[in-house]
Amino acid sequence: MPVSTPHSSSFSSFLTSKALTFPQFRTFCVKKPNPNADLSASNDVSTVSGPIHSSQAIDAGSSMRKPISLWPGMYHSPVTNALWEARSSIFEKSSDKTQDSQTELVAKTPSMSRTSIAYKFSSDYILREQYKNPWGEMRMGKLLEDLDALAGTISYKHCRNDDGATRPILLVTASVDRMVLKKPIHVDFDLKISGAVTWVGRSSMEIQLEVTQSTPDSLDPLDSVALVANFTFVARDSKTGKSAPLNQVLPETEHEKLLWREAEERNKMRKQKNAAQKKDVGDRDEDRLNALLAEGRVFCDMPALADRDSILIRDTSHENSLMCQPQQRNIHGRIFGGFLMRKASELAFSNAYAFAGAAPCFIEVDHVDFFKPVDVGNFLRFKSCVLYTELENPMKPLINVEVVAHVTRPELRCSEVSNKFYFTFTVRPEAMKEELRIRNVVPATEEEARRVLERMDAERSQ
């Protein structure tokens, strides 16, 4: 699938022109011996015999390592640390010979890219503390960040040929499909993320990741899947910047063939959606638009008569900003997608917390597209608001939060949207039993009303 629009480079984007030998490839999936062996045991085996399974996982806990000069920046989560160490075993031993960008393509099976990360929370106190939020629960933003890093590792492995050579291409996170939490993720039980390439087009590929966690109430392996994520990466030629062809994927098992068909269908739907957007489906149902705006007009024109159980979208706004530092760069000098997802997730959580008056629970993050690259030195602004609430179930209200990331260049008087994120949260049942009141959110302008309708329609279509 050729991609003509620029995308934000992910931390997990790779550019290499090294010649690699097959024995070096094997070291990619195996962690180095951990000097702090008492903190984390090695050779962990997945508890799930699913389609995405690695018999030997990279240990997330053995991540307090001496920095390696090949690592970009100094910003690393425990998992990105572990992955960079695995990658460095290839880079450090690779030949200085460069490979022709026209190296012959090969077909590879999903098993050849399959990789796992093991979080031994039950025995590794240091690791557990890095993923715990103030309520003793999982920091979902950090998990989203790790998913992006692992997806990049898998995409790189798929691009390596059987002779150990890797063509000099740039792999970029193009989009992330909607992620729905199937069950709560606990920070006190061991966790595993496993993934593989499931589908390849001409210059794009899809990587499916599974987050699994076995707890006392989920003895059945099928009940241990907590989250499924689909990442789409695109390949660019490192010299021309144009789309580059990829190794094809050959599914072997019936389940792998099913995953390929599902991914093919998602790719077709994405193309149809993009085509529909280009035709400008702006003729919204005027009745729906006016119904949404009715209460907002009361707020603006007759505030004393406005519904006390409602609030304007603009009054739920929160934002923060940051300078993109060199320590947050990837191997190409850009800010990686996982970092952006984590910052957006944490702002959305804070917004939902301030809006509800109780700690929110993550439910899902909708499809994410990476529109513009984010470079070191950019002034990045995140703007969030509660777009709308769903209050049909009094014990499980839904809070839909929008976060828009802007790449701002003051010296050029320029500000462009890099990403739009949509998160859904709820509130714990015990908080609702204490007569907590979640307010209805209403738009005050036609532009806000159209954004709400667009999100509602997107939710219904899924």
Side-chain angles (χ1 to χ4, degrees):
M1 179 181 71
V3 178
S4 56
T5 56
H7 295 279
S8 169
S9 286
S10 160
F11 167 83
S12 42
S13 303
F14 296 92
L15 175 63
T16 178
S17 58
K18 304 294 186 181
L20 306 174
T21 64
F22 186 71
Q24 289 166 347
F25 172 73
R26 291 201 301 267
T27 65
F28 190 87
C29 303
V30 183
K31 76 179 188 68
K32 294 180 180 178
N34 179 14
N36 300 318
D38 57 318
L39 291 179
S40 180
S42 61
N43 298 330
D44 182 49
V45 178
S46 170
T47 56
V48 182
S49 300
I52 297 179
H53 167 71
S54 176
S55 59
Q56 191 163 19
I58 297 172
D59 187 353
S62 57
S63 57
M64 313 304 287
R65 303 172 172 90
K66 182 180 178 180
I68 296 178
S69 60
L70 289 168
W71 299 5
M74 289 299 295
Y75 173 78
H76 302 288
S77 75
V79 163
T80 55
N81 242 357
L83 290 171
W84 271 115
E85 182 174 270
R87 294 166 193 163
S88 70
S89 66
I90 296 176
F91 287 124
E92 289 172 336
K93 299 176 183 177
S94 61
S95 165
D96 290 333
K97 295 180 181 178
T98 58
Q99 297 294 313
D100 186 352
S101 60
Q102 299 304 313
T103 299
E104 184 179 353
L105 297 173
V106 297
K108 304 183 73 172
T109 64
S111 61
M112 297 174 76
S113 65
R114 203 159 286 155
T115 312
S116 298
I117 288 283
Y119 300 71
K120 299 174 184 177
F121 289 135
S122 62
S123 58
D124 192 334
Y125 172 80
I126 294 176
L127 183 68
R128 186 165 65 244
E129 284 298 302
Q130 294 181 74
Y131 284 81
K132 184 184 292 185
N133 72 12
W135 296 273
E137 298 169 349
M138 173 65 70
R139 285 179 63 185
M140 291 302 300
K142 284 187 72 68
L143 199 60
L144 295 178
E145 184 176 37
D146 292 348
L147 288 168
D148 180 70
L150 181 56
T153 294
I154 292 167
S155 69
Y156 174 79
K157 289 175 69 174
H158 179 78
C159 291
R160 296 185 71 253
N161 293 344
D162 292 337
D163 60 0
T166 304
R167 292 174 299 123
I169 58 174
L170 172 68
L171 293 171
V172 182
T173 309
S175 64
V176 185
D177 277 359
R178 184 183 187 217
M179 287 185 271
V180 181
L181 195 65
K182 298 178 181 293
K183 54 175 266 185
I185 297 176
H186 304 279
V187 79
D188 297 321
F189 297 98
D190 291 350
L191 182 75
K192 184 183 286 285
I193 307 178
S194 303
V197 172
T198 54
W199 175 89
V200 177
R202 180 189 172 274
S203 61
S204 63
M205 71 175 86
E206 184 172 293
I207 295 101
Q208 185 170 100
L209 304 175
E210 279 189 347
V211 179
T212 56
Q213 186 176 62
S214 293
T215 58
D217 58 347
S218 63
L219 300 177
D220 186 344
L222 296 177
D223 295 333
S224 65
V225 179
L227 186 71
V228 177
N230 294 304
F231 282 71
T232 300
F233 279 68
V234 295
R236 309 282 187 148
D237 186 280
S238 61
K239 296 178 182 178
T240 66
K242 296 180 179 179
S243 61
L246 288 167
N247 293 333
Q248 288 300 302
V249 66
L250 288 177
E252 296 177 300
T253 68
E254 286 303 315
H255 194 87
E256 288 172 352
K257 292 174 182 177
L258 174 63
L259 293 178
W260 190 94
R261 289 193 295 270
E262 291 175 347
E264 175 75 5
E265 187 61 30
R266 280 192 294 271
N267 183 56
K268 289 179 181 177
M269 289 178 66
R270 275 193 293 266
K271 288 181 178 179
Q272 291 172 0
K273 182 180 177 183
N274 291 338
Q277 286 175 343
K278 288 178 182 177
K279 290 179 181 177
D280 187 20
V281 226
D283 297 330
R284 295 281 186 185
D285 184 342
E286 289 302 315
D287 291 338
R288 294 173 67 204
L289 202 65
N290 289 328
L292 269 178
L293 284 169
E295 187 61 33
R297 292 190 179 110
V298 175
F299 267 95
C300 296
D301 299 336
M302 299 168 283
L305 301 179
D307 183 359
R308 293 298 176 252
D309 287 330
S310 296
I311 187 172
L312 292 175
I313 288 177
R314 68 189 181 203
D315 292 331
T316 69
S317 298
H318 287 261
E319 67 177 83
N320 60 24
S321 58
L322 58 93
M323 289 300 302
C324 296
Q325 303 294 345
Q327 293 79 11
Q328 296 151 356
R329 73 188 185 278
N330 64 18
I331 201 168
H332 310 293
R334 286 178 167 168
I335 308 304
F336 71 97
F339 176 79
L340 300 177
M341 285 196 289
R342 179 171 68 83
K343 298 299 290 186
S345 172
E346 291 177 348
L347 177 59
F349 183 95
S350 301
N351 198 340
Y353 190 12
F355 173 79
C361 298
F362 172 88
I363 291 182
E364 69 175 53
V365 55
D366 200 10
H367 182 90
V368 180
D369 285 310
F370 292 83
F371 301 121
K372 299 285 182 182
V374 182
D375 294 317
V376 170
N378 282 164
F379 178 31
L380 194 61
R381 301 185 67 189
F382 290 92
K383 301 180 181 182
S384 75
C385 66
V386 178
L387 207 53
Y388 65 98
T389 55
E390 298 175 69
L391 309 176
E392 290 79 7
N393 183 349
M395 295 308 295
K396 192 177 180 180
L398 299 181
I399 304 168
N400 295 274
V401 181
E402 176 190 67
V403 180
V404 182
H406 296 260
V407 176
T408 306
R409 298 179 177 87
E411 65 276 10
L412 301 178
R413 301 176 67 243
C414 170
S415 181
E416 297 178 290
V417 173
S418 165
N419 304 87
K420 290 183 180 181
F421 304 89
Y422 298 95
F423 298 89
T424 303
F425 299 91
T426 189
V427 180
R428 293 170 178 77
E430 55 270 23
M432 297 308 299
K433 290 177 182 177
E434 296 173 1
E435 298 184 359
L436 184 72
R437 186 179 64 178
I438 303 298
R439 300 172 79 174
N440 183 43
V441 181
V442 295
T445 66
E446 184 172 319
E447 185 271 334
E448 288 178 343
R450 290 188 183 279
R451 278 159 53 200
V452 173
L453 284 178
E454 181 182 329
R455 289 310 310 151
M456 288 180 170
D457 290 344
E459 285 292 325
R460 288 194 188 98
S461 69
Q462 294 170 349

